[in-house]
Amino acid sequence: MLTKGDIMMVQMPYLESYVQFPTGRMTLTQIQQIFTTIPFEIDLIDHTDHFSWYSNQPQREHVRTLKDLGEHVQKCHPAKAWPIVAKIIQSFKDGSRDAVARPLVMNGHRVFIQYFALRDVNGEYLGTIEFTGSAEPILQALENGGWSDASSGASKADGKTGVPAVTDADTGASTHPETGAVADAGTSQTDAYSGASQSDSTGPFSDSGQATDAMTGASEY
């Protein structure tokens, strides 16, 4: 349970400290602002099934508060959704799955939710990451002709950002000109019944083992 002092510490500015990663270092302020800036939300359920952290992205699909921290994850889910989420977490614990993905419609738009097993270098289970992002920018780019001409490498901009995707005519992969992100073409298959995505070469997403409830959603806290 958070005390008043804990809340004040969360709100206080960070000291000029940094974290050294194998690939570089970032200040605590930079780390915090990365999670605030990226257009995705991330939640962490620890290895004891308690809600332990969330990114403070300002336009979240799932509303989180400091009062939720420390609660058992079951208390953060609707009754209909909890059995699905519990099976996902259990599959991560027993090692039968490492990731599960579900497309849903939330708040009137399309989102893509991914669960990942968080493990240490020895494969020990550390918790579950829930990643939620809006699929609208990608789907709108696709619907407006993005990635449509693989032979010439031409593609239409999405009409809003004005940024076209650059297509590799040899591989069919699309590379964003600013981020350099490459999309794997032709390898992903979607299970429309379970809502899980399965890829034969880019890290398979397994379903939760049962039909999903599009109204409640397995990840709706």
Side-chain angles (χ1 to χ4, degrees):
M1 182 68 66
L2 287 173
T3 66
K4 183 177 180 180
D6 294 328
I7 295 174
M8 289 179 63
M9 289 184 63
V10 171
Q11 295 174 341
M12 288 175 61
Y14 294 112
L15 298 176
E16 288 302 317
S17 300
Y18 65 86
V19 177
Q20 183 68 50
F21 296 98
T23 55
R25 76 178 191 178
M26 292 189 290
T27 67
L28 297 182
T29 299
Q30 288 173 329
I31 294 172
Q32 168 61 37
Q33 292 310 114
I34 285 174
F35 289 122
T36 300
T37 302
I38 59 175
F40 314 105
E41 60 191 64
I42 307 172
D43 301 323
L44 176 62
I45 302 163
D46 69 17
H47 71 287
T48 66
D49 298 342
H50 288 81
F51 184 51
S52 62
W53 175 85
Y54 65 96
S55 61
N56 62 337
Q57 212 280 337
Q59 297 178 330
R60 293 181 59 94
E61 301 292 342
H62 304 110
V63 177
R64 302 286 187 258
T65 69
L66 295 177
K67 293 180 179 180
D68 297 323
L69 297 176
E71 293 286 353
H72 191 279
V73 67
Q74 183 174 2
K75 294 183 179 180
C76 302
H77 285 78
K80 291 183 179 180
W82 170 243
I84 299 175
V85 177
K87 285 191 174 183
I88 292 174
I89 294 174
Q90 182 56 43
S91 72
F92 292 167
K93 289 181 177 181
D94 64 28
S96 60
R97 291 185 175 91
D98 287 314
V100 174
R102 300 188 66 243
L104 288 177
V105 176
M106 295 183 65
N107 302 319
H109 60 276
R110 296 164 290 185
V111 301
F112 194 62
I113 301 175
Q114 295 169 278
Y115 294 87
F116 298 99
L118 183 65
R119 305 188 189 282
D120 65 16
V121 294
N122 297 315
E124 293 295 322
Y125 176 76
L126 300 177
T128 294
I129 298 172
E130 182 178 4
F131 176 95
T132 303
S134 174
E136 291 295 343
I138 297 174
L139 293 173
Q140 288 174 8
L142 180 63
E143 291 160 359
N144 289 331
W147 308 282
S148 61
D149 191 346
S151 60
S152 67
S155 131
K156 298 178 182 178
D158 63 11
K160 293 185 178 181
T161 65
V163 179
V166 179
T167 306
D168 183 342
D170 294 329
T171 65
S174 299
T175 306
H176 192 285
E178 294 182 359
T179 65
V182 178
D184 184 2
T187 61
S188 181
Q189 298 176 340
T190 303
D191 184 343
Y193 178 71
S194 67
S197 298
Q198 298 176 328
S199 170
D200 56 10
S201 64
T202 58
F205 291 129
S206 302
D207 65 25
S208 61
Q210 58 177 275
T212 57
D213 186 338
M215 296 301 294
T216 62
S219 65
E220 293 184 348
Y221 287 3

